[in-house]
Amino acid sequence: MSSVNIPEIFGSMVFDDRVMRARLSDEVYNSLKRTIDENVKLDINVADAVAEEMKNWAMENGATHFTHWFQPLTGVTAEKHDSFITPSKDGGILMEFSGKELIKGEPDASSFPSGGLRATFEARGYTAWDPTSYAFIKDHTLCIPTAFCSFSGEALDKKTPLLRSMQAINRQAMRILKVFGTDAKYVKTSVGAEQEYFLIDKEVFSKRPDLKYTGRTLFGAMPPKGQEMDDHYFGVIKPRVAEFMEDLNQELWKLGILAKTEHNEVAPAQHELAPIYATTNVATDGNQLTMEIMKKVADRHGMVCLLHEKPFAGVNGSGKHNNWSIGTDTGINLLSPGKTPYENAQFLLFLCAVIQAVDDYQDLLRLSVATAGNDHRLGANEAPPAIISVFLGDELTAILDAIKNDAPYQGKEDVKIKLGVHALPRFSRDTTDRNRTSPFAFTGNKFEFRSLGSANSIACCNIMLNAAVAESLRQYADELENSENFEADLHNLIKRVIKEHERILFDGNGYGEEWVKEATEVRGLSNLKTTADAMPRLLDQKNIDMLMRHKVFTEAEIHSRCEIMLENYVKTVNIEGLTMVDMVRKNYLPAIERYLYRLSQTTVLMRQVSPNVKCNYEVTTMERLADLTDYILEAVIGLEDALTDFKKQENVFSSSEFVRDVMLPRMDVLRKYVDEAEMLTSQRDWPFPSYGQLLFSVN
């Protein structure tokens, strides 16, 4: 590709602050900025002025249509396009776009998941402009980020509760800053979402029905080489993939998405992209766009981008690391310990707020990343376990121990790394290592929540994290605002929180079986292994009370989300089960039969030539394949019976338990026999591309 001027193209398709400052009057710009930064109500006259300039800018950049771009509870984005065309009296047209059209849209809500929030016949829904997230141009269409709600006002999307949670944590954090005398107008959380994905050749992908229907391979024996040599991780990027990455970066940069880091991941054909931090709702919009554009760019390059959490059994699946921090408008990172964290009481209190939040609401964090796909990945020695814990590192752990025990803190010396070569520089060692087995790790000035699946919207976990931390801060503010001896009460509060919540702190190997036993039997932490285990916990009264207290959800919205997520889980597995039956009945069993026929014909012909020929290979292979054919038939009948019984389940809760306890185990049995048969059947007769062909298809 030709060289590109990054500063010139960056944000060129975004109606960002630079564009607004240049095109809007000072009065309109300043009013809009107050709405964005300080949550001030939007003036309709300001909206009209913004809409006019937004339309002019969009048309100058080739846009002909506009859409309210929103994030329904499907997990992907949605959009309905309208042109700027308005008829004029003389038979011509005008190009118009009003403040009313900018602020509100009316898409049909009838076909989006609602979880019982509205009746089927109540089709009307509303989209409302989110001025805190910049509009952008995609495919010649002006995309306006919006919230999405029902006719009666219930949130039908992921953005609305996310914005509510950001408002909640701002409200409570400002109370804490006030008692410390810290000057700030507002507090916002920021996120950087590292995105893992697979790239495989489009032609090979098209020959796998399971990948097309479900996003993952439901069958497949491991090839001779997988990820055992660790040679793919951070390895030289293949030319075809490098071209994809270069193209992807340019598309993302045009949309103002701060794509920063790219590299090969652990598994063959697996890669990662990491952006620079952005405000949480902006980062959420950016990550949704990133996933969409990855697929489009891959298609242009003759590849398919797989975002399933576990597209291939036996090699690492794909996650998404949610790097979360909290800061003020004045640039203070409230999770930055500084050079003397032991003396930084404000930092320690915010640190305690996060620790308490993760402990009190570990179930909410776990269910926020629960999907059918992610269940295959969590706890599989490639991703954090389903048990939620917090990693702090040596220095912070030592500081908290000193506070808890009222003991003097012995500060750690600055350790220099010496590599033994004079020409190489010496550098200071960080005070904390990275624990890659921890689901929630402190990494210097932020927390990295590593349990998300690749396809997850980051909105879900950040809603729960923001709300849970807001609840901790609310309790602290209630206690400290009326304090008569602030320093003593602050010290006692921090000390008490450490003692009450130290069970959630763990710096060891999260993959070890001994940790599972210690966490559940000694510490009393929850181990919600599947979506069927985790999602119903959303309806625990403590969770409903907290989420409603901070106005993140209404009670009806909480119940709806539980139902929607469980429906998604059972529908996903049901589709996988139906796909397995289809592939086995129509392809695998006939293929094995064909190979058995050829083996039997070969055996007969060989013995006609000479009765002394033993035909050991042919006979032993036929015997085992004949047995496997019977096992496969029995297993597929068992799965078919389960699929029938699945339809008889009375509600989504019993359906999810049935999927967990009956359908998934039967699917595993069926796969085991088919995969063994693949190893015994000739490649010529096997109906679908193998794992080796899939994982090493991009050269």
Side-chain angles (χ1 to χ4, degrees), residues 9 16 33 49 90 94 96 100-101 130 160 166 242 260 325 334 392 455 520 526 528 537 562 566 582 654 656-658:
I9 70 166
D16 59 17
K33 283 293 287 182
D90 61 2
L94 301 173
E96 293 184 344
K100 182 180 178 181
E101 290 173 305
D130 172 17
T160 302
M166 293 172 65
K260 175 74 172 177
S325 190
L334 297 172
L392 293 180
T520 56
S526 60
L528 305 172
R537 298 291 294 273
C562 182
L566 283 175
D582 191 67
S654 62
S656 65
E657 292 169 358
F658 183 82

Side-chain angles (χ1 to χ4, degrees), residues 559-585:
H559 282 270
S560 75
R561 275 149 181 81
C562 182
E563 182 172 331
I564 289 168
M565 296 310 296
L566 283 175
E567 278 185 353
N568 183 275
Y569 170 70
V570 299
K571 287 177 180 178
T572 298
V573 179
N574 184 55
I575 291 170
E576 291 178 347
L578 291 170
T579 302
M580 291 185 85
V581 169
D582 191 67
M583 293 174 72
V584 168
R585 289 285 192 187

Side-chain angles (χ1 to χ4, degrees), residues 22 173 221 286 301 303 315 358 385 419 469 503 506-507 549 627 637 687:
H301 289 261
M303 297 182 289
V315 300
V358 176
L419 297 177
V469 174
R503 69 172 186 164
F506 178 65
D507 287 3
R549 181 181 301 119
D627 287 342
I637 291 172

Side-chain angles (χ1 to χ4, degrees), residues 64-99:
T64 58
H65 289 65
F66 69 92
T67 182
H68 276 199
W69 184 80
F70 58 101
Q71 299 169 38
L73 297 172
T74 55
V76 295
T77 58
E79 50 196 65
K80 174 174 72 76
H81 298 185
D82 290 296
S83 73
F84 293 118
I85 292 176
T86 300
S88 63
K89 293 181 180 179
D90 61 2
I93 59 169
L94 301 173
M95 304 300 280
E96 293 184 344
F97 182 53
S98 67

Side-chain angles (χ1 to χ4, degrees), residues 75 309 316 380 443 472 477 486 560 698:
E309 292 83 357
N316 278 15
T443 56
S472 299
F486 178 74
S560 75
V698 176

Side-chain angles (χ1 to χ4, degrees), residues 188-386:
K188 286 186 178 180
T189 55
S190 297
V191 170
E194 303 170 31
Q195 178 72 53
E196 295 176 349
Y197 59 96
F198 280 82
L199 289 175
I200 63 173
D201 186 82
K202 189 195 302 185
E203 184 177 349
V204 181
F205 168 87
S206 67
K207 298 175 182 177
R208 290 286 309 215
D210 46 0
L211 280 176
K212 288 193 288 185
Y213 295 147
T214 74
R216 76 179 181 106
T217 51
L218 301 172
F219 301 98
M222 280 298 295
K225 182 179 185 295
Q227 63 189 53
E228 301 87 351
M229 300 301 293
D230 299 321
D231 54 347
H232 191 256
Y233 191 51
F234 279 28
V236 176
I237 299 171
K238 294 177 181 177
R240 192 174 172 192
V241 175
E243 290 176 4
F244 159 83
M245 289 179 170
E246 184 178 353
D247 195 359
L248 174 64
N249 284 332
Q250 292 189 30
E251 294 296 329
L252 295 178
W253 290 335
K254 290 175 187 176
L255 293 171
I257 297 171
L258 294 157
K260 175 74 172 177
T261 303
E262 58 194 28
H263 61 83
N264 290 347
E265 256 298 333
V266 173
Q270 189 184 33
H271 314 278
E272 181 177 304
L273 180 147
I276 299 173
Y277 291 80
T279 305
T280 303
N281 64 313
V282 175
T284 301
D285 289 353
N287 185 250
Q288 291 294 135
L289 276 172
T290 296
M291 292 190 287
E292 176 188 333
I293 293 168
M294 278 178 167
K295 293 180 179 180
K296 288 183 178 179
V297 173
D299 186 68
R300 289 206 298 257
H301 289 261
M303 297 182 289
V304 174
C305 177
L306 300 179
L307 293 174
H308 193 283
E309 292 83 357
K310 192 73 173 178
F312 303 101
V315 300
N316 278 15
S318 293
K320 181 145 51 189
H321 300 172
N322 188 83
N323 294 280
W324 181 91
S325 190
I326 178 171
T328 70
D329 62 297
T330 58
I332 299 173
N333 182 339
L334 297 172
L335 291 180
S336 178
K339 294 187 178 298
T340 55
Y342 184 69
E343 299 170 356
N344 188 343
Q346 182 174 277
F347 158 73
L348 289 172
L349 189 63
F350 276 94
L351 177 68
C352 284
V354 177
I355 293 170
Q356 178 178 336
V358 176
D359 188 17
D360 286 346
Y361 298 101
Q362 53 191 278
D363 50 355
L364 288 183
L365 289 180
R366 170 64 184 93
L367 68 86
S368 74
V369 300
T371 63
N374 213 20
D375 285 355
H376 295 291
R377 175 179 158 269
L378 292 180
N381 284 358
E382 61 185 77

